[in-house]
Amino acid sequence: MNAELDLALERRIGKRSAAVIEKHLGITTVEELLNYFPRRYLTRGELTPISDIPLDEDVTLIARVLSSSTRTMRARKGTITDVVISDDDGQAGLRLVGGTDYRGKVPGTLKISFFNGYRAKAELLPGRRALFSGKVTSFKGSLGLTNPDYHVLEEEPFSAGGQDAGKLAAMPIPVYPATAKLPSWKIQKVVAALLETADLASLPDPVPPAVAEREGFLPLHQAYRLIHAPETAADWKQARERLRYQEALVLQSALARRRAQLASEEATARRPRPDGVRAAFDRSLPFTLTDGQAAVGKTLAGELARDFPMNRLLQGEVGSGKTVVALRAMLQVVDAGGQAALLAPTEVLAAQHYDSIRRTLGPLSRDGLLGGLGAGDDATVQVTLLTGSMPTAARRQAMLDAASGTAGIVIGTHALLSDNVSFYDLGLIVVDEQHRFGVEQRDALRAKARKPPHLLVMTATPIPRTVAMTVFGDLETSTLDELPKGRAPITTHLVGLAENPAWAGRIWARAREEIDAGHQVYVVCPKIGTDDDGDFSPGEAEPPGLDAEESQRALASVTAVVEHLQGEPSLSGVPLAPLHGRQDPELKSATMAGFVDNTVKLLVSTTVIEVGVDVHNATLMVILDADRFGISQLHQLRGRVGRGGLPGTCLLVTALEPGHPSRRRLEAVAATTDGFVLSQEDLKLRREGDILGASQSGGRSTLKLLRVLEHEDVIARAREDAQDIVAADPFLSRHPELADAIEKYLNPEKEAFLERG
């Protein structure tokens, strides 16, 4: 490890400055501050377009003072100095604030108010340019800043002694992610002090010399100087390109090393049997596998037959047939004398998998012994369900079947992870909807195997290629991108009640039409009751960007909607039932059974039906307060309809005004059923969030310069280099700088994401 990087900040910039940086940014070492990069750069001679600045965010901008006036406050002692600033943008046009059209207001100007602003009155004279930093607000349709920090550009810290005016005007001004108490130029001043005192020449370079030479990269110490203190735009662009690639290489090398470690483990090979349960299952299938299912199945069969663990991510749209592919893999393991465990995130989904797998196997699911009973068409396999809410006797029997090997396939929830659950010979773990599980849970199940088991991770949330290379880079990826025959198209409509309040009644008339046609209806709500905060599924956060008005808005709840629909004239006589996560497990099972056998015609539910629920007769889904769900959730939810060859319809109901930012998600979902297009849009709207950490949206990303949607070429290049480096030097003994960088980069939280598959 490099001593300079680990040095406490106070050793380089003094105790006082270090204390301020730690208090406001949480940064304590030289390395952390060096890697606190500017988010953008301003040109001293240019003015920032005020019409582009975001509402309710801390901003830094350059503007010219148009006017300044001071008035006495009426209610209390003191004065207010009002300063109007401009970007010289004379373009008239539209300004949207919170969904409201402020056409007619003068764009390019912004009003700033200083309470008792004696310094501002003296310094912010008409014609002067200054940097302003603060939170943009809106009052009566006008944009404004209240008591912002500012710096007149002709003053320190930006004076350059004898430098000529032309060079000074072209010098970029770095803008750092700032806080209300610590504006960007104060951060810049501290970073400038660090650049003068730190021993940058001693910093270890994780990028191998041959790669740096091939790419024409700057030396590392120069890159750090120029990204923080550039003299030209070319300086920071060159520095950022080098440091961005370095970040990608460190991450991809960590993933490549992880893949190499997994490949070095010894697993039990599970080879196919020509006369086993899988062969009998294939002969009994009433349909032909899609080309994609056959190709992925062949890949899995080959990897299960190897003597080192399979680690594969299987992604595919809702209804693309992932479960059949996984079941064939599980049967291959059973044929080879092993057991398969399928881990599901909810009891509803676990029960659905148990019922559908037994139903799909038909007579092959008779009670049998480990490895199947008999051969050919007489082969059978026992499928066992294990959940936390099962009666004691049934739970004890399921545990006995798993431990003795009687159960070839064990399906369960977190109950499978319990210390007193054991397996006879666990050969394959299938994790459904992996984003619901953490590393500890997955590893707890792996630990129950004699040897490292094979692993198959499934997700119905499509993942862009760059995200798969970054977040799931330790897993090989397979994709099912075609739907089996019989899947009907789903039509999605945005139902805006703000502009069309009469549509509220039409929704239930539409539901009655489907029911009268012999079909069934889902109604999804964001809450269970009127007194709770919601029933968002584990691992799903509320969408980003909710304002105070949205957060306080009364949302549709299962209990209230059921009560309303029981009195809704258009649904008179329709059997309906609620379903949510706080119900007794037996009641949940009975409710789902009623919906499956069509005695319940309309199901009012929370997101517990988001994944895995398979009712072919359901053709309409109504999602109330749909703006409270993320894009991936909405896409998953609507995949519950149109599954039986009947066309599906999804209504996204919202009370938000047209133009509201949160309606953009709904418009995106209504515009396409292509999950990969939606996953790209989802990442854009989430602002990437913490790609490697736990947060789902917003927040500060662990990735500093790398953006997985924008930099696919960088990630792909770094991945190829990382694979070559690790293949030639698995322990990185010839690349100690890269090994050290990986150890620094992968703190416990980030390392957990490597295990997350």
Side-chain angles (χ1 to χ4, degrees), residues 19 114 382 428 580 645:
F114 295 92
Q382 178 169 321
L428 171 65
H580 56 76

Side-chain angles (χ1 to χ4, degrees), residues 467 470-471 683 688-693 695 701-703 708 753 756:
V467 179
T470 305
V471 181
L683 264 183
E688 284 194 332
D690 191 342
I691 292 294
L692 306 187
S695 99
S701 174
T702 302
L703 299 179
V708 293
F753 106 86
R756 209 161 54 186

Side-chain angles (χ1 to χ4, degrees), residues 541-660:
E542 289 190 28
L546 297 181
D547 56 31
E549 179 185 346
E550 288 179 89
S551 298
Q552 295 171 6
R553 178 161 49 91
L555 300 178
S557 67
V558 171
T559 54
V561 170
V562 166
E563 185 178 346
H564 170 74
L565 295 185
Q566 285 171 337
E568 170 63 39
S570 58
L571 293 175
S572 176
V574 170
L576 56 88
L579 181 73
H580 56 76
R582 295 182 195 165
Q583 287 176 320
D584 179 89
E586 291 185 7
L587 176 59
K588 279 192 292 188
S589 297
T591 300
M592 273 310 306
F595 196 59
V596 169
D597 66 21
N598 203 8
T599 55
V600 173
K601 303 291 185 181
L602 187 149
L603 189 68
V604 183
S605 171
T606 57
T607 55
V608 293
I609 54 94
E610 179 186 350
V611 288
V613 176
D614 189 12
V615 179
H616 287 192
N617 196 45
T619 55
L620 175 65
M621 173 167 287
V622 179
I623 305 178
L624 302 176
D625 290 315
D627 48 271
R628 295 306 287 253
F629 301 99
I631 284 178
S632 62
Q633 269 193 315
L634 293 171
H635 184 57
Q636 289 269 22
L637 285 166
R638 71 172 167 191
R640 299 302 109 208
V641 296
R643 300 178 69 84
L646 302 168
T649 302
C650 178
L651 303 181
L652 305 176
V653 183
T654 179
L656 294 180
E657 297 283 342
H660 193 287

